[in-house]
Amino acid sequence: MPALPGAVPLLFVESVAGRRGADLRACGAPQPRAAALVGEELCREEIAGFPELSEPQVLRHFLRLSQLNFAQALQFYPLGSCTMKYNPVVNDQMAALPGFAALHPLTPAHLAQGALELMARLEGALAEITGMDAVSLHPAAGAQGELTGLLVARAYHRKQGRMRSKVIVPDSAHGTNPASCSLAGFSMTVAKSNRRGFLEAREIARLLDDDVAALMVTNPNTLGVFEPEIVEIAALLHERGALLYLDGANMNALLGVAKPGDLGADIVQLNLHKTFSTPHGGGGPGAGPIAVKAPLDPFLPVPRLKRTEAGWMLDSKRPDSIGRLRSFYGNFAMLVRGYCYIRALGTDGLALASRLAILNANYLRKRLEDLYPSATAEPSMHECVLTHDLEKRAGVSTFEVAKRLLDFGFHPPTIYFPLIVHGALMVEPTETESKETLDAFVDAMRRIHAEALTTPELLKEAPHTLPFSRIDEVEAARHPILRWRPEGEPQR
Ligand SMILES: *Cc1c(COP(=O)(O)O)cnc(C)c1O
């Protein structure tokens, strides 16, 4: 395979026959036989094309690869709706303590009391933060938390002898909301936001009937606007026996400010990898606990933590439970990190984090408003959605503005979302960024605006400073090449 310009060469390409890393045979160290470890049937004498490399080659290869990514640990990453805040290193250290990291998921409860106690405390803290009665740490991500919550809602209605088939979702919703509705077997009814960017109780009243199982809404919504009529909306839903599902992925605006439970929510999922500073998995482990009001507790997934005289145990004998959605009980190392974060900040620290997140978003909005006006006149919470007129004035798209930001060392904001805002730039700075970083971002955005008007061709081919400029993202997602084949062999 020819190396792409700027790319790190594949290990297979760098391979030299007979080259080795450390070889302990010369000093007589015992050689474990592979067959004894994994069984004869899994062993091969030869692996065709296996790369042969020295130790420094391997180290350089992986270190170079790791630096090709934009990362929150390296750059400002104001990706709206994703809450890319700093992941404190102490959380990783706690999760790596041997007592946690080496614990096998099948360890009997009486030998894992510390881990179970930590989970129980985390459940308690999340219940307190959300104003809800019961928490399950089981779901592996926000989207799986949504699915879990909707399955719980369905099981609850069935138990009451109701077969409700519809879920109302606003037109500003995150894409996972309609997807979760379909997966859970509901059909979706779209509620329109008003021109100020929020949901009116009137609109919900218009759509409500006895077939509605729930309204699914995020608050603050995807415009970064706090839903001002949410309490009234919750009351309307409850009058008709429907539930309020609050998508809690935007909780970073609400810690110590408002509790979903007090706003009338019956179900809320939390994204530990957003609000509670655990790393975003890049497809790897996340955690999307759900919290519910007491009447929904029996339907939560198993296993559930249970306190007995002998200590904590995991209880799977819950006849009304929706069952399991994944293996074991959750992504435990993420739970350790989230718990560590909550304990490190404490009640006052969490409230300050949300206040600073709101302050940072409004600071950016204010400093950019003459060139990139906000999509809404309402005050912003933890993120702001900006617009521009560069398409009309200079033929420059939002996509090109975003690509040019990479040349200034910034990860672009979320673009073209929410769908109800034409050419949106959704900026979420989070609380962990300094004023200097925010000012540098403002400078870059202002400079890009000027470039668009004077040298638009500069934006057309940006980024100019990275190993790759434009990638066919659709092709890469639809037909990823994950396996190397020697020259001449067809790619499958
Ligand atoms: C991120 C997000 C989700 C989905 O969470 P994942 O953990 O990525 O599955 C759902 N809703 C909103 C509003 C979000 O921002």
Side-chain angles (χ1 to χ4, degrees), residues 80-83 140-146 173-177 218-222 247-250 269-274 280 286-288 382-383 417 426 428:
S81 207
C82 293
T83 314
Q144 198 180 39
E146 292 172 26
H174 191 269
T176 51
N177 291 180
T218 182
N219 194 13
N221 64 29
T222 57
D247 177 338
N250 289 340
Q269 110 274 351
L270 298 162
N271 292 34
L272 296 194
H273 43 291
K274 293 181 180 171
H280 285 56
H382 64 308
E383 59 197 357
F417 180 74
M426 184 193 218
E428 182 181 8

Side-chain angles (χ1 to χ4, degrees), residues 394-405:
V396 166
S397 67
T398 299
F399 176 80
E400 288 158 349
V401 171
K403 287 291 181 195
R404 181 66 175 141
L405 267 171

